[in-house]
Amino acid sequence: MEQTTLTVQGMSCGHCIQSIEGSVGELDGVNSVKVHLQEHTVDVEYDRQQVSLDKIKEAIDEQGYEVA
């Protein structure tokens, strides 16, 4: 398993957390996802044999947030 922390702009509320954790968490190969609003970060643990980091970033972008 790989673990990464992404800096994400535009998150401000509980809906943001649900949106990102829901969309990224549904991807095959993602083991866990945790949004930290105060730090503007998202921790993701994933199997890079099943899902790429670019795919994870794309899922966040599709929810309307910007991965720095």
Side-chain angles (χ1 to χ4, degrees):
M1 286 286 171
E2 296 284 322
Q3 180 144 3
T4 190
T5 299
L6 303 170
T7 300
V8 179
Q9 302 301 317
M11 302 184 302
S12 61
C13 64
H15 178 265
C16 300
I17 295 171
Q18 291 176 346
S19 177
I20 292 172
E21 288 183 354
S23 65
V24 174
E26 289 178 358
L27 295 172
D28 288 337
V30 172
N31 187 48
S32 68
V33 55
K34 178 69 176 157
V35 172
H36 304 280
L37 280 183
Q38 300 298 325
E39 293 84 13
H40 304 286
T41 60
V42 178
D43 295 334
V44 184
E45 184 178 74
Y46 65 101
D47 180 349
R48 68 180 197 186
Q49 300 295 326
Q50 292 184 298
V51 65
S52 68
L53 185 55
D54 286 340
K55 185 69 175 172
I56 292 167
K57 291 178 180 179
E58 183 180 306
I60 294 171
D61 286 340
E62 287 175 355
Q63 295 301 312
Y65 307 99
E66 182 179 338
V67 179

